[in-house]
Each structure stands twice: as C-alpha cells, then as structure tokens.
Amino acid sequence: MIRVSSEEELFKEIRSAHFEGRKVSIIGFGSHSHKYKENAISTQGMDHFEVKDDYVVALAGASVPKIREEASEKGLLFPGLYDGSVGGMLALNHVSPISFHYGTPKEFTVWCRAITFLGGINWKIFIGSKGKLGAISKAVMRLYQKPRRIVTLEKSYSDARDLVEDFKKGVEDRPIAVLVEYDKEFKLHMTYSNDVEYPGFSKDDGVPVVEEGDKNSYVVRTEGLKEFVELVEKTSPIYAYTVPGTGMSKVYVADEEVLKGFEYYPSDSVSEVYLKLKKLLDYKSIFE
C-alpha cells in the first residue's frame, strides 16, 4: 500500500499509475474501508482540516468524527454522520438521517477537488463516484448552528398507510433528521430540536443510525416515501431503509430479479452517469 501526505504526492502516484497502466484503489479509513489491496493508495496522511467561521476546509484523509467534535466545541454542526474520512464520505455521497434537513454531502459541499492523471479538477460531480473517476483530495463544506437539544420520536407500523399519514404530520414540525426502515414491519424515526409530542411514539436521545453493509444490497431511485413503500411491497426485502428527500432507498434482497422495473444499481457500484464519465476522465480505467 502506498501512503501519501499531500495532493502533490497523490498526483504523482496517480499519474505514474496512468502511464504505467497500473490499477489503483483509493482508500481512507473506517469500517467501510474494505478495499485493502497491494495497489491501494491511502490518503490517511492527508488529514489536515480547519474549521473557520461557518465552513470547514479539509483534505481527503481528515477525520469526519474529529471535524464534528471540533465544530461542536464551537457551537457548530458538521452535517455528516460518517465513521471515516472526508474523502470516503464524499466518494460515497454518504446519506444519513440528517440528510433529510441538511442535505447530502454533495449539497452541503461548496466545492471539492479530485486528482486525475491530468491534475486537480474542481468539480462536484466527483462526489458520489466512489473513487472510480479520480481521487477526491480536498473540499470546502458548510457548517450550521448546532441544535441546543435533540429528541427522536419512534413508532412501528404494520399498515403503511398509517406510516405515510404520520410522516406528513411529523414533517410540519420540521424535523432535523428522518429515517424510515423496513424489517418485517415499517419503523419511523423523526428527530427534532424542539419539544414535540405525538400519540403512540416512544422517545429516544440522539439521532438514529443505520448499521449496514453492501452484500446483497442495491440503491434504488425513489422520489419519496410513497415510492419507498411501493418498493417494499413489490420486493419484500430482507431489510430496507430510506431518508425521504434524498431520492434514494437501499434494499437488501436475495434475488435481484425482484428489482426489475425499478431504477437501481448494486451498492458497491455507481450509477450510469459515472460510468459514462469514466470513459472520459479515466479512459485507461486505472481506478478500481
């Protein structure tokens, strides 16, 4: 594994790999980093970041948890719930329950730079490309005022119609995080920064998180909650979840055939738009 500590070193390694025709994988750290290979380029040494005013400027190897901690000490919120590096979060465009209010990383990022064999390119299209177009190296991201307190309301449903109705009512009180899960039954989580009460809901502290993997899972295009319910009813997944407003759901199914008719791709792959761009930005296909 090759370790780099600057954008210059990263460019040198990528350019060398391009002209030599070598495959490379870009990795950071965290439980999601399962791509360890001899040809991996690690950005862990590119760990510098600076919290200034309402923004954070960070290199790819900067720790998301550390950014959240420093921002919190200054009364600010970094809206990424991710256990690894900035580069990994952006490469995945990692969706979390707080994406409901603050948007996905692509939305709260002002700009990001990726390194290709041509050099650095400032273009947000690299966010979500999973390192298949180039190596994300640096980004400027927005920070927000930290809520003084949070409370999460939770409720399970056997009837999806009740879920949809409660969601419509809950949105009126402007939750800062929403997660809808399906595991033999539907479950709604809504997190607020103000005191709210809904009959039939239990209360919990903190923001809900999803423990997940990529095996037998697919990302499916869903416009809203009703489309997620339709997806579940038609596919009967082992497990599924969505964050309304992000335009996507993740489902775990034993047979991919049940997804016919939906717009989807495997969780360890990328959407068609990135595969088309790869022919332009990585025509030798060195990025795995």
Side-chain angles (χ1 to χ4, degrees), residues 238-255:
I238 301 166
Y239 174 74
Y241 76 87
T242 190
V243 176
T246 62
M248 62 77 67
S249 299
K250 192 168 184 178
V251 296
Y252 292 75
V253 294
D255 185 2

Side-chain angles (χ1 to χ4, degrees), residues 21-34:
R22 289 186 287 107
K23 299 286 187 180
V24 294
S25 296
I26 310 301
I27 64 170
F29 66 91
S31 60
H32 59 284
S33 293
H34 56 271

Side-chain angles (χ1 to χ4, degrees), residues 263-274:
E263 183 181 342
Y264 75 95
Y265 56 89
S267 295
D268 59 357
S269 184
V270 291
S271 62
E272 185 67 24
V273 64
Y274 294 115

Side-chain angles (χ1 to χ4, degrees), residues 218 253-260 264-266:
Y218 301 86
V253 294
D255 185 2
E256 184 180 346
E257 288 293 315
V258 300
L259 294 172
K260 281 189 174 180
Y264 75 95
Y265 56 89

Side-chain angles (χ1 to χ4, degrees), residues 113-180:
R113 178 158 57 239
I115 305 297
T116 71
F117 79 98
L118 295 171
I121 301 175
N122 290 2
W123 196 11
K124 285 173 62 173
I125 194 67
F126 288 98
I127 300 176
S129 65
K130 297 185 179 178
K132 295 186 181 296
L133 304 180
I136 290 174
S137 61
K138 188 176 183 178
V140 174
M141 296 157 287
R142 294 184 183 88
L143 302 173
Y144 300 85
Q145 289 299 308
K146 185 174 74 171
R148 293 182 179 178
R149 66 183 300 270
I150 57 173
V151 59
T152 295
L153 303 183
E154 301 175 332
K155 185 177 179 180
S156 297
Y157 301 84
S158 56
D159 191 330
R161 290 172 295 183
D162 295 334
L163 163 69
V164 173
E165 287 303 311
D166 279 353
F167 172 73
K168 287 181 179 178
K169 295 176 184 177
V171 169
E172 294 176 359
D173 285 316
R174 303 178 67 182
I176 62 173
V178 175
L179 173 66
V180 182

Side-chain angles (χ1 to χ4, degrees), residues 6-284:
S6 68
E7 290 182 291
E8 292 76 17
E9 290 180 10
L10 180 58
F11 172 60
K12 180 181 177 181
E13 294 298 335
I14 289 173
R15 190 169 177 82
S16 175
H18 172 81
F19 286 110
E20 293 173 12
R22 289 186 287 107
K23 299 286 187 180
V24 294
S25 296
I26 310 301
I27 64 170
F29 66 91
S31 60
H32 59 284
S33 293
H34 56 271
K35 296 194 302 181
Y36 179 83
K37 299 176 182 178
E38 289 185 4
N39 64 348
I41 299 176
S42 170
T43 61
Q44 290 186 46
M46 298 171 59
D47 58 357
H48 177 75
F49 71 89
E50 181 181 8
V51 174
K52 187 176 182 181
D53 299 325
D54 294 336
Y55 299 92
V56 57
V57 181
L59 292 178
S63 165
V64 170
K66 287 183 179 179
I67 292 174
R68 286 180 59 82
E69 181 180 359
E70 184 169 323
S72 180
E73 291 172 354
K74 297 182 178 182
L76 298 169
L77 170 71
F78 180 61
L81 293 181
Y82 190 66
D83 70 349
S85 61
V86 165
M89 179 190 72
L90 295 180
L92 294 171
N93 194 29
H94 184 257
V95 171
S96 70
I98 63 175
S99 298
F100 176 81
H101 180 73
Y102 297 101
T104 65
K106 181 175 287 186
E107 293 170 299
F108 63 73
T109 297
V110 180
W111 63 261
C112 83
R113 178 158 57 239
I115 305 297
T116 71
F117 79 98
L118 295 171
I121 301 175
N122 290 2
W123 196 11
K124 285 173 62 173
I125 194 67
F126 288 98
I127 300 176
S129 65
K130 297 185 179 178
K132 295 186 181 296
L133 304 180
I136 290 174
S137 61
K138 188 176 183 178
V140 174
M141 296 157 287
R142 294 184 183 88
L143 302 173
Y144 300 85
Q145 289 299 308
K146 185 174 74 171
R148 293 182 179 178
R149 66 183 300 270
I150 57 173
V151 59
T152 295
L153 303 183
E154 301 175 332
K155 185 177 179 180
S156 297
Y157 301 84
S158 56
D159 191 330
R161 290 172 295 183
D162 295 334
L163 163 69
V164 173
E165 287 303 311
D166 279 353
F167 172 73
K168 287 181 179 178
K169 295 176 184 177
V171 169
E172 294 176 359
D173 285 316
R174 303 178 67 182
I176 62 173
V178 175
L179 173 66
V180 182
E181 296 180 282
Y182 175 79
D183 185 1
K184 297 181 180 179
E185 64 179 1
F186 292 99
K187 189 169 186 178
L188 173 62
H189 311 257
M190 297 184 292
T191 302
Y192 297 87
S193 58
N194 55 312
D195 289 316
V196 292
E197 294 282 349
Y198 290 126
F201 281 80
S202 61
K203 285 189 175 183
D204 194 8
D205 295 325
V207 176
V209 295
V210 179
E211 298 293 337
E212 57 176 326
D214 285 341
K215 187 177 181 180
N216 295 329
S217 67
Y218 301 86
V219 176
V220 184
R221 177 71 180 174
T222 50
E223 292 299 326
L225 182 56
K226 288 184 178 180
E227 287 74 19
F228 173 71
V229 170
E230 178 183 350
L231 171 65
V232 168
E233 291 177 342
K234 288 186 176 181
T235 62
S236 300
I238 301 166
Y239 174 74
Y241 76 87
T242 190
V243 176
T246 62
M248 62 77 67
S249 299
K250 192 168 184 178
V251 296
Y252 292 75
V253 294
D255 185 2
E256 184 180 346
E257 288 293 315
V258 300
L259 294 172
K260 281 189 174 180
F262 292 97
E263 183 181 342
Y264 75 95
Y265 56 89
S267 295
D268 59 357
S269 184
V270 291
S271 62
E272 185 67 24
V273 64
Y274 294 115
L275 297 179
K276 291 179 179 178
L277 282 170
K278 189 173 181 66
K279 295 178 181 178
L280 174 66
L281 297 172
D282 182 30
Y283 64 85
K284 284 191 176 182

